[in-house]
Amino acid sequence: MYSFQPDEEQQMLIDVTRRLAANDLRPAAHEAEEHGEIPVSLVAKGWELGVLQASIPAEFGGFGERSALTSVLALEELAYGDLAGALAMMVPGLFAIPVLTAGTEEQKSTYLPAIAEGAWTPWSAALIEYQFDFDPQDLHTIARPDGGDYLISGEKRLVPFATEAKTMLVYANLDGQTQAFIVDAKADGVTVGEREQLMGINALPLYSIHLDSVRIPKANRLGGEAGHDFGALLSAMRIGISAAAIGVARASFEYARDYAKEREVLGSMIAQKQSIAFMLAEMATEIEATRLMIWEAAWLLDQDNPDAERAAYLAYSGAVDMAMMVTDRGVQILGGHGYIREHPVELWMRNGRGIASLTGLAIV
Amino acid sequence: MYSFQPDEEQQMLIDVTRRLAANDLRPAAHEAEEHGEIPVSLVAKGWELGVLQASIPAEFGGFGERSALTSVLALEELAYGDLAGALAMMVPGLFAIPVLTAGTEEQKSTYLPAIAEGAWTPWSAALIEYQFDFDPQDLHTIARPDGGDYLISGEKRLVPFATEAKTMLVYANLDGQTQAFIVDAKADGVTVGEREQLMGINALPLYSIHLDSVRIPKANRLGGEAGHDFGALLSAMRIGISAAAIGVARASFEYARDYAKEREVLGSMIAQKQSIAFMLAEMATEIEATRLMIWEAAWLLDQDNPDAERAAYLAYSGAVDMAMMVTDRGVQILGGHGYIREHPVELWMRNGRGIASLTGLAIV
Amino acid sequence: MISFEKSEAIAQMQYLIQTVADNMMRPYSRHFDEQEGEIPWEYINFMHTAMKQMGAASLVPQPEKEGEVKEKKGQRQAYQLMAYTIEMLSWGDAGMYLCTPRGGLGSAAIEAAGTPEQKAKFLSRLNGDDPIFTAMAITEAQAGSDNSAIQCRAVLDEATQEWVLSGEKIFITAGHKAFVDTKGFIVVWATIDPDAGRAGIRSFVVEAGAPGATITKKEKKLGIRCSDTVTLTLDNCRVPFENILGSPTVEPSTKGFKGAMETFNVTRPLVAASALGVARAALEELKRILAEQGVEIRYGLPRQKMTNIEREVVDMERMVRSSWLLCLKAVWMSDNRMPNSLEAAMSKLHAGEVVTKVTQKAVELLGPMGYSREFLIEKWFRDAKISDIYEGTGQINRLVAARQLLGYSGKELR
Amino acid sequence: MISFEKSEAIAQMQYLIQTVADNMMRPYSRHFDEQEGEIPWEYINFMHTAMKQMGAASLVPQPEKEGEVKEKKGQRQAYQLMAYTIEMLSWGDAGMYLCTPRGGLGSAAIEAAGTPEQKAKFLSRLNGDDPIFTAMAITEAQAGSDNSAIQCRAVLDEATQEWVLSGEKIFITAGHKAFVDTKGFIVVWATIDPDAGRAGIRSFVVEAGAPGATITKKEKKLGIRCSDTVTLTLDNCRVPFENILGSPTVEPSTKGFKGAMETFNVTRPLVAASALGVARAALEELKRILAEQGVEIRYGLPRQKMTNIEREVVDMERMVRSSWLLCLKAVWMSDNRMPNSLEAAMSKLHAGEVVTKVTQKAVELLGPMGYSREFLIEKWFRDAKISDIYEGTGQINRLVAARQLLGYSGKELR
């Protein structure tokens, strides 16, 4: 039977993440963005909610089962507070979720307890490359077998916390297929480059990484010798960034809605003008339509349903456009006030446009 | 110097075509569409305005010089009255304009006086084929040299007045290039098929034509042995149907505007609602923006400017979307009344969607 | 627990209705479009018999009895079933779907607002040997979407205890079939007190053959031509006292009117469902033809690597699916008795726009073939547009949604 | 005679300004975006000297003397030249363009509404050795786009024959440069009679250093960061009697206010021009990068045969070109003294939307590169948005256009 009602546990998670978003993430967002730095204590506080830990089974140090759908609910709430902060809090998941869902037993027991049981630590992942037509399924970073190992060469961009991370997943092209490899950040041939300067999410420290014939032991290929199904991981990434997009869009919608109800012009509130009211109605409708697509894709992923991949792709495609439309209108409704950095809508618009380029920075 | 003001002669033409559109074309349009027949007298009356004749120089029986821009102005007005009627009136131009601009001296003197000096007669042209990705520059109707002649085979659709036309231009693929050939409708291998049943413009009699190894004397290739530049003809066709699109869209805009000013709901006119008023403002803006693109393309064509082809392509691309947007909104603004055939907006919406598929049925 | 698991009951219903659509609808679509006014009796009789056998009084689900509510919580799916049914019937043919007998808005109104006696009297007829139709008459020439401005008048003749109705109602879907072609009825909205505004508005069951009631005009339409749309003229039309639905006196509140408005929360998602059936038909046919022509749609590519057609098809699929989920959520809320006027309005405005865009695109992408009456695509384009108009235009539904979102009354946001 | 022949004068101007844009603007774009608040003196001084040599008082064309009107009919192109200039400067850098000295809205106001004495007094300063800036202060925190709701008050001190101004003005473009960084002036809108509504509104020249006038806030913005946007607080600020533009008494008509509103007919197409310079920059850069990557844009194909990128680029080109033609027609009408409030509003609303869409698309189509500050595309996306906001948001301009199209007053269509 269909149902659109989160269960009790999910509702609890929604409630706590929503509180953190409102009380901690949102108030810190402006300063964090302007200074390009997110307070360590904030990230730690987010980590302590245990969103990721709840996805990791007890045998690996966590206390639950992975549910993409549950993570979607949490991510929306966190990103509603602040996109950069939400991504920062969830960074260890970029390493943990692929290991959990596609790793060998050995990989799981090596890494997951360390992640789940400790404080927040930057376990990272490197997917994105600077191609205008960047395609996660057709990477330019190349892995080739060499002796019993793999050699990886290429240039990765937007790698979170790369200067701090000790271990990360690097996605590379192995015979035309994208595969993830567990890479020691100190390995020969790995050079961390400059801090990335982007239009938005500047509070999240991102770096370029150069890989020059980095030797990877065979055992460090995700899933071992047989490798893994990258399609499922990509779907989880697309769903993740889409869920974050919903949070950003909802933030912008609500802020613009409240502003429009308080902004008087010629004796009535601007929300009482059909043009503004209809924009708001369309924003809310698109947010909800896209949210349901994302929920369905996550649900399908959780069911290992073969339709999950297409559903995730469609949902992400919708989330990209929805986020841009909604956050642009958020600025438009505030008018001149939307253009100044005192109000958060301009940041959300910058972050909104980022959804198109940030696949790989979130996963569920 | 730039100018957006028609000259006196053009203004006169605008005035007479506008009168014919209002007094004759528009009142006959509904009946003509419902019964699939346009009154002969109406077509004759349109012909007598001399729009085409004014494009043909005196030496070939006309009384002017061809100006794509002037024709654009006239076509907008006629199509404002009725698209099917406008296309019917101008059908001889589908034959005459290509002969005039690309024909040999012999072809011109053979055909143009007969067209320009007589009453309206169906000289036709066959371009369109039933391909979902129909591309005028990549036709499936093939012409191949055979002895001193050409043999043409293929299936043409939407050929106006094909049962009556004695002579027509048939566009075919000659070694990868589109070329026009003057074809005798009675030639062996030419079979006129069924009357076409379309979503709109049903007043214009259109037929399919089957060509089975039709033998065409070498002299009947448009432009003679050297052929002709189809790009310029295609641009003239794209500009022509775009100009007609403007007329259809303007008709719908004005009707919806007037309706909205007279339709009262809850004590005010629906035009006083921002949602309706803004729709109208956007319709008018898109109409004007597209019109200026078409004017510029026609002007470039008249200057033999090499940019004309791209300008015509962009203008047509804009006209397709503009016509659909505007005519759809025309129906929407009338609501339930827009959905019934008593009001003309539904016909304009059907015709508006046709612009995407009717290149070849108008030329300037 | 959020779930996208389709129930067995829905899957079976879909299978069943697709058979109907494939066999009884699609082959006749073009015929009934061209022969405007002809009635698809074969479809009607088949549906009448089938529904009778299934024990379904109409497509509209009947509310459960009071006692049943608790036990069934979370298990009800009558509106979901109906949405799936309507989606599939409209996928078959939106015009013929509107010719489905028994149900219709007239019976929905009685189910929503009638007394047990009225339900027994009027709804039992649906189950007779011959199919009958019921319709709803709300719109007036001057009132448009403003249902509170109704002019049609009902006066109680104290002597005979009959209601005397006068006025003219337009755009009545299936009114001809309810009043002329079968012995059905039309539920007419009229005011019992013009000065009372919304509070005076009531609905009356006007039965086929009622003296003074005449179908005076049959509209010719852009699409859904198989469905009749008529004008009903009431000239001192007398109906029995007990044909009034709800209270015969003017109450100080507008509860009655609001209740009537709330039926939109049920009907709007169902119009959305119908729209999305048409949209799916167009999308599937487009994909079928493209596949026939060797055009493959590759999913998963970045936009920079797609062809334009792939981009269009992907966008269309996304629009149809997301719109369907909006619709599904709205009917799921109906099934679970949650207030859903926001969701109902959103599903309707979204689906109305989606079906318009998808059918527009489908016609365009098929080039001259899309424009030809040799294919059904052009018909679906024409059928589609009504979904953005009836049961409240896209604009009205934006207004309704915006009021909910902003917490505004009708006065605060006009 | 309809003609799309670009005049020699315009072509020369374009060439000249492109040199400025290439050499004085583009290389410094990123620097002044990052160093918000830093003033591009090099560009300012260069422009000041260049314009002085050309004899141009400002970018705003000066109206011809009365006698010249007849002879020049059909030949005037001052506003066209200005639109081309602004388009090219904005193509260079929209933020730096707003730092162009001498001109600005302040001088435009004096040229439009000042007496010959006022023009002599204030405008002559533009031509001094050092560049100065002028600005216009209209918006107030509570009034938004509603210029008739201005609260800023001007009271005549009969004793000293000075105007005493009090109030706060926000969102003043280049106000810091006009008031603090150079000895320029700000034209302040205030009411001389709050009860008179629009009829009481006048503008006053407040010179740099005027006592009681203080720049109290400098905004941090999404884009155009090189241009300052400030708040001006007026606390019993005294200005000489003769600094009022127009009549010092309240007239029964709102002619003065309407006159002020009419300056929008001039400024809106110029904002459109600026928007389209940014749009063109983004489009050209996108095409350049695509070409570098071997992506060819094939023109002339049916949509069914295009790639998605081709479709996007073709749409962007079409939007930019058609929007430019709307702008050109509006300024051509200004040059020919035709009433153009409809065309001015249309050009502005269209260009504001086009530049928003085009820069959005450009960022998206370049993927992670589009989002990076290593390229200017992301900056243009941020710069672009202001065009849909200032000089009337897209919504306000739709309202203005709709009123013209419908023949409605401000009261009839709010």
Side-chain angles (χ1 to χ4, degrees), chain A residues 34 83 128-134 157-158 196-202 262-267 273 275-276 279 320-321 324-325 328-329 331-333 335-342 346-347 349-358, chain D residues 34 36 140-146 148 170-171 198 217 219-225 289-290 293 295 309 356 359-361 363-375 378-379 381-386 388-389 393-395 414:
Chain A
E34 294 283 318
L83 178 59
I128 298 172
E129 300 170 352
Y130 262 25
Q131 306 293 332
F132 81 95
D133 56 352
F134 171 65
R157 303 297 295 253
L158 311 194
E196 303 275 10
Q197 305 290 315
L198 300 181
M199 176 157 67
I201 57 164
N202 284 298
E262 281 167 21
R263 176 87 181 152
E264 192 177 327
V265 172
L266 279 173
K273 299 289 174 192
S275 60
I276 303 293
M279 281 166 78
V320 165
D321 291 344
M324 185 70 257
M325 183 275 268
D328 177 72
R329 287 183 173 196
V331 170
Q332 189 68 25
I333 289 173
H337 294 274
Y339 203 71
I340 61 176
R341 304 214 292 282
E342 239 170 66
E346 65 82 26
L347 171 59
M349 182 175 118
R350 288 186 277 134
N351 289 346
R353 179 68 296 177
I355 303 303
S357 309
L358 302 180
Chain D
E34 306 259 317
E36 193 169 13
E140 297 178 6
Q142 286 317 310
S145 296
D146 176 18
S148 67
I170 63 171
F171 297 160
R198 297 182 168 198
K217 191 182 173 200
E219 304 288 357
K220 293 186 172 184
K221 302 193 297 297
L222 169 61
I224 53 164
R225 295 187 180 179
I289 296 174
L290 290 177
Q293 305 283 331
V295 178
I309 282 194
T356 302
T359 54
Q360 280 178 6
K361 278 287 164 204
V363 171
E364 182 187 342
L365 286 175
L366 291 173
M369 294 153 77
Y371 202 60
S372 167
R373 282 191 266 150
E374 284 173 39
F375 298 83
E378 67 82 25
K379 177 182 181 292
F381 167 89
R382 292 183 287 109
D383 290 348
K385 190 67 203 162
I386 194 62
D388 207 16
I389 294 175
T393 59
Q395 287 65 45
R414 290 168 193 275

Side-chain angles (χ1 to χ4, degrees), chain A residues 19-21 23 63-64 94 107 111-112 120 125 127 141 156 168 176 184 187 241 244 278 280 283 287 304 307 347 351:
Chain A
R19 260 198 304 277
L20 182 87
N23 300 338
F63 52 84
L94 298 182
Q107 289 167 341
Y111 297 104
L112 295 179
W120 180 92
L127 175 69
T141 296
K156 288 288 173 181
M168 58 182 80
D184 183 335
I241 197 71
F278 282 27
L280 288 165
M283 290 155 79
I287 290 172
D304 283 327
D307 289 343
L347 171 59
N351 289 346

Side-chain angles (χ1 to χ4, degrees), chain D residues 57-63 79 82 86 97 100-115 118-119 122-124 126 132-138 185-189 203 205 245-246 259-268 270 391:
Chain D
S58 77
L59 283 179
V60 184
Q62 286 146 299
Y79 284 107
M82 192 170 168
I86 291 175
Y97 145 62
T100 308
R102 303 159 71 93
L105 291 172
S107 20
I110 293 178
E111 269 158 6
T115 62
Q118 287 169 330
K119 288 183 195 175
F122 298 112
L123 298 183
S124 66
L126 302 177
I132 66 161
F133 285 79
T134 73
M136 180 102 93
I138 306 178
F185 55 82
I186 301 179
V187 174
V188 174
W189 288 31
S203 42
V205 181
L245 300 177
M261 286 293 103
E262 269 163 28
T263 66
F264 283 128
N265 299 343
V266 169
T267 55
R268 282 178 176 152
L270 298 178
E391 294 296 290

Side-chain angles (χ1 to χ4, degrees), chain D residues 141-363:
Chain D
Q142 286 317 310
S145 296
D146 176 18
N147 296 324
S148 67
I150 281 173
Q151 299 293 311
C152 184
R153 186 80 171 86
V155 179
L156 184 63
D157 180 338
E158 299 283 351
T160 63
Q161 285 293 301
E162 288 171 321
W163 293 100
V164 183
L165 279 73
S166 292
E168 193 178 86
K169 292 287 178 178
I170 63 171
F171 297 160
I172 306 168
T173 297
H176 201 273
K177 281 192 273 296
F179 214 74
V180 178
D181 306 316
T182 71
K183 290 199 174 311
F185 55 82
I186 301 179
V187 174
V188 174
W189 288 31
T191 176
I192 55 173
D193 181 358
D195 298 331
R198 297 182 168 198
I201 290 166
R202 291 294 177 283
S203 42
F204 299 85
V205 181
V206 178
E207 295 173 81
T214 328
I215 299 295
T216 46
K217 191 182 173 200
K218 212 166 167 179
E219 304 288 357
K220 293 186 172 184
K221 302 193 297 297
L222 169 61
I224 53 164
R225 295 187 180 179
C226 180
S227 164
D228 71 81
T229 304
V230 299
T231 298
L232 173 68
T233 303
L234 299 157
D235 180 10
N236 289 307
C237 168
R238 288 178 173 263
V239 305
F241 180 80
E242 60 272 18
N243 280 23
I244 188 172
L245 300 177
S247 161
T249 58
V250 176
E251 316 279 337
S253 80
T254 57
K255 200 180 139 217
F257 183 78
K258 277 187 188 153
M261 286 293 103
E262 269 163 28
T263 66
F264 283 128
N265 299 343
V266 169
T267 55
R268 282 178 176 152
L270 298 178
V271 171
S274 173
L276 295 170
V278 176
R280 185 166 63 86
L283 175 58
E284 287 178 5
E285 178 72 357
L286 171 66
K287 287 178 74 172
R288 189 190 65 73
I289 296 174
L290 290 177
E292 225 175 65
Q293 305 283 331
V295 178
E296 188 202 347
I297 307 299
R298 299 163 300 166
Y299 295 86
L301 290 179
R303 287 179 179 170
Q304 291 87 337
K305 287 186 173 178
M306 300 167 89
T307 64
N308 182 46
I309 282 194
E310 287 172 332
R311 173 71 188 279
E312 299 273 24
V313 170
V314 161
D315 280 355
M316 287 158 82
E317 278 195 47
R318 172 178 57 72
M319 283 193 279
V320 173
R321 185 67 198 167
S322 67
S323 204
W324 178 248
L325 293 175
L326 283 179
C327 169
L328 203 53
K329 184 173 175 190
V331 288
W332 171 82
M333 291 176 86
S334 285
D335 279 327
N336 288 279
R337 298 200 169 73
M338 297 172 174
N340 71 339
S341 47
L342 171 62
E343 289 77 7
M346 293 201 312
S347 73
K348 167 71 166 72
L349 77 90
H350 200 267
E353 198 165 302
V354 164
V355 73
T356 302
K357 278 192 196 160
V358 166
T359 54
Q360 280 178 6
K361 278 287 164 204
V363 171

Side-chain angles (χ1 to χ4, degrees), chain B residues 34 128-134 157-158 196-202 263-266 273 275-276 279 320-321 324 328 331-332 335-342 346 349-354 356-358, chain C residues 36 140-144 146 148 170-171 217 219-225 290 293 295 309 356 360-361 363-369 371-374 378 381-386 388-389 393-395 414:
Chain B
E34 294 283 319
I128 297 169
E129 300 171 352
Y130 262 24
Q131 306 293 332
F132 81 95
D133 57 353
F134 170 65
R157 303 297 295 254
L158 312 194
E196 302 276 10
Q197 305 288 317
L198 301 181
M199 175 157 66
I201 58 164
N202 284 300
R263 176 85 180 153
E264 194 179 324
V265 172
L266 278 171
K273 299 287 176 195
S275 61
I276 303 292
M279 282 167 78
V320 164
D321 292 343
M324 187 69 258
D328 177 71
V331 170
Q332 189 68 25
H337 293 274
Y339 203 73
I340 62 176
R341 303 214 293 281
E342 239 171 67
E346 64 83 27
M349 183 176 116
R350 290 186 275 134
N351 290 344
R353 181 68 295 178
S357 308
L358 301 179
Chain C
E36 193 168 13
E140 299 180 3
Q142 286 318 309
D146 176 17
S148 68
I170 64 172
F171 296 158
K217 191 180 170 200
E219 304 290 356
K220 293 186 169 179
K221 300 193 297 299
L222 169 60
I224 53 163
R225 295 187 180 179
L290 289 178
Q293 305 284 329
V295 178
I309 282 192
T356 301
Q360 280 178 8
K361 278 288 164 201
V363 170
E364 182 186 341
L365 286 175
L366 291 174
M369 293 153 76
Y371 203 60
S372 166
R373 282 191 265 149
E374 284 174 39
E378 69 81 28
F381 167 90
R382 291 183 287 108
D383 290 348
K385 190 66 202 164
I386 194 63
D388 206 16
I389 294 174
T393 59
Q395 286 66 46
R414 290 168 191 275

Side-chain angles (χ1 to χ4, degrees), chain C residues 48-170:
Chain C
H48 178 66
T49 311
M51 287 159 80
K52 201 170 161 179
Q53 281 166 359
M54 288 164 61
S58 75
L59 282 179
V60 184
Q62 286 146 299
E64 293 89 355
K65 311 277 179 303
E66 283 304 313
E68 294 176 61
V69 175
K70 262 230 166 105
E71 296 79 59
K72 283 179 142 187
K73 191 156 162 63
Q75 300 296 320
R76 284 184 296 264
Q77 54 174 338
Y79 284 107
Q80 294 167 63
L81 268 166
M82 190 172 173
Y84 268 100
T85 301
I86 290 176
E87 194 266 358
M88 189 63 89
L89 287 173
S90 301
W91 177 89
D93 188 284
M96 287 171 85
Y97 147 61
L98 291 167
C99 296
T100 308
R102 303 158 72 92
L105 292 171
S107 18
I110 293 176
E111 270 158 6
T115 61
E117 295 72 34
Q118 286 169 332
K119 288 184 197 177
K121 177 171 176 194
F122 298 113
L123 297 183
S124 67
R125 298 200 195 153
L126 301 177
N127 225 21
D129 287 344
D130 294 324
I132 67 160
F133 285 81
T134 73
M136 178 101 94
I138 306 179
T139 310
E140 299 180 3
Q142 286 318 309
S145 296
D146 176 17
N147 296 324
S148 68
I150 281 172
Q151 300 294 310
C152 184
R153 187 81 171 86
V155 179
L156 184 64
D157 182 337
E158 299 283 353
T160 64
Q161 284 293 302
E162 288 171 321
W163 294 99
V164 184
L165 279 73
S166 292
E168 193 178 86
K169 292 286 178 181
I170 64 172

Side-chain angles (χ1 to χ4, degrees), chain B residues 257-278:
Chain B
R257 177 198 62 195
D258 295 346
Y259 180 90
K261 285 187 72 172
E262 282 167 18
R263 176 85 180 153
E264 194 179 324
V265 172
L266 278 171
S268 62
M269 302 305 165
I270 62 168
Q272 294 179 277
K273 299 287 176 195
Q274 280 195 351
S275 61
I276 303 292
F278 282 26

